[in-house]
Every structure is written in C-alpha cells, then in structure tokens.
Amino acid sequence: MTRPPYFRDIWILGPNGTGYPGGFPNGLVPAIKRKWWGSRRLWICSGSHRDESGVCLDIKREVGPTVVGNAEQLPFRDGSFDFVLMDPPYSEGEARALYDLPYLRLRRSISEAWRVTESGGHFLFFHRTIPTNGAELELTGLCGIIGVAVLASWANMRALTVWRKPHRLERWS
Ligand SMILES: C[S@@+](CC[C@H](N)C(=O)[O-])C[C@H]1O[C@@H](n2cnc3c(N)ncnc32)[C@H](O)[C@@H]1O
C-alpha cells in the first residue's frame, strides 16, 4: 500500500484540566509543538487556552482572550501569522448549549484563518470533521491528519487536520 504524503497518527490524551467545555485535551499543545509551531501564533476560538507570546482570539470577552473578535471576520492582515490553530464549536447544537452562541459559518471562518496564515506557515483545524478539497475551500498543502481522543465513558473523537500553506511558486508547479 502506498503511504499518503502526510503525517497520520492517533493521539490518546488526558482530560482537559480547565473544565472549559470543549477545552483542549491535556497534552495536545505540547504534542502539536513537537511537530508544528511558529513564532507568530494565532489561536482562533481560543476559549480557556493561554499563550503568553501568541494571540488568542475568542468572541466571548469573559474568557479573557488577547483579542475579542469574530472568527468570520478576523481583524488581521493577510499572512500575519506562521501558526494558526482554530478550535470552533463542533455543531450548531453544541454552539448553543455550551457557549450560548450561533454556530459560526465554518467555510467563511476557515477562509479567514487561511487568509491570515502566511505562505510556508501552518494552519491547524481541530473539529469532528476533516475539510478536504470537496468542501469548496482553497486549502492546499495537507500535511497531517491526527485522530485525537480522550478516553472517557464515551470517548469524544476529534480530528486535527494540518496544512502547510504553499508559497506562490510552489502553487504553480
Ligand atoms: C471548542 S471551544 C475552544 C476551547 C479551547 N480550545 C480551550 O482549550 O479552551 C470553542 C470556542 O469558540 C468560541 N466561538 C464560538 N463562535 C465564535 C466566533 N464566531 N468567533 C470567535 N470565537 C467563537 C466560543 O466562545 C468557545 O470559546
């Protein structure tokens, strides 16, 4: 069998310690850091996550992000970050029940995240779905798909999908 040209793995991690609904599993960020990282980092839909030298953006002021903003219209210039991770609510129902918010427009938010990712930088998307070319998105440069689970009575499986945004010349070749 031919191996796909991207990293594949399953990470079984510890429960989130903050108690914030949908919070990152314990150990996720260090595991990501070992594979993909940047010096200008943006966390979209950051919730309880903190990054002293990065930018955390969430629509909820009360969670204390660096920037209060909407993922559908990011207040940053094109290519501002070399590492962008987005962890939105996972469904309309969860957006309402867990955060009392309407479900964001996923395509629009992903396009915004991609816009602010610089060429050569990484965009990581954490969700229950894996957007691919058929999702009418411009995403190219897929470099990783990781199943992420926390073992609980009902294990909540999520996927971390990673793209490296190609440089212009790479896009032509
Ligand atoms: C799955 S949680 C993120 C949890 C985070 N990774 C953590 O470790 O705490 C989803 C977050 O998306 C935020 N959110 C929902 N709609 C948003 C929008 N349109 N723009 C920005 N943030 C939004 C919610 O306020 C919530 O904090």
Side-chain angles (χ1 to χ4, degrees), residues 20 22-24 45-48 58-60 69-71 87-89 99 101:
Y20 191 73
F24 288 141
C45 299
S46 54
S48 61
D58 201 284
I59 204 164
K60 277 186 175 286
N70 190 339
D87 180 22
Y99 313 106
L101 289 168

Side-chain angles (χ1 to χ4, degrees), residues 13-154:
L13 299 169
N16 171 269
T18 66
Y20 191 73
F24 288 141
N26 200 8
L28 179 67
V29 175
I32 290 172
K33 191 171 182 180
R34 286 193 286 274
K35 294 276 321 161
W36 302 286
W37 205 240
S39 53
R40 281 165 291 117
R41 295 182 297 281
L42 173 65
W43 307 85
I44 303 172
C45 299
S46 54
S48 61
H49 182 62
R50 295 289 176 270
D51 181 346
E52 292 299 311
S53 51
V55 176
C56 293
L57 177 139
D58 201 284
I59 204 164
K60 277 186 175 286
R61 184 176 298 278
E62 59 268 35
V63 300
T66 329
V67 174
V68 178
N70 190 339
E72 295 181 358
Q73 200 172 0
L74 294 173
F76 309 113
R77 294 188 180 174
D78 298 2
S80 299
F81 299 93
D82 60 357
F83 174 100
V84 176
L85 189 150
M86 181 174 156
D87 180 22
Y90 308 131
S91 67
E92 175 79 47
E94 286 184 45
R96 295 267 176 217
L98 300 179
Y99 313 106
D100 195 21
L101 289 168
Y103 190 41
L104 45 66
R105 285 173 287 181
L106 216 45
R107 272 200 206 104
R108 190 177 178 130
S109 307
I110 291 173
S111 298
E112 276 291 273
W114 190 246
R115 179 182 68 73
V116 303
T117 305
E118 76 169 8
S119 296
H122 288 98
F123 169 50
L124 296 82
F125 181 70
F126 194 46
H127 202 279
R128 297 222 186 89
T129 61
I130 299 173
T132 57
N133 295 346
E136 295 162 30
L137 291 160
E138 279 182 39
L139 302 172
T140 49
L142 178 69
C143 63
I145 299 179
I146 298 143
V148 179
V150 172
L151 291 188
S153 53
W154 290 90

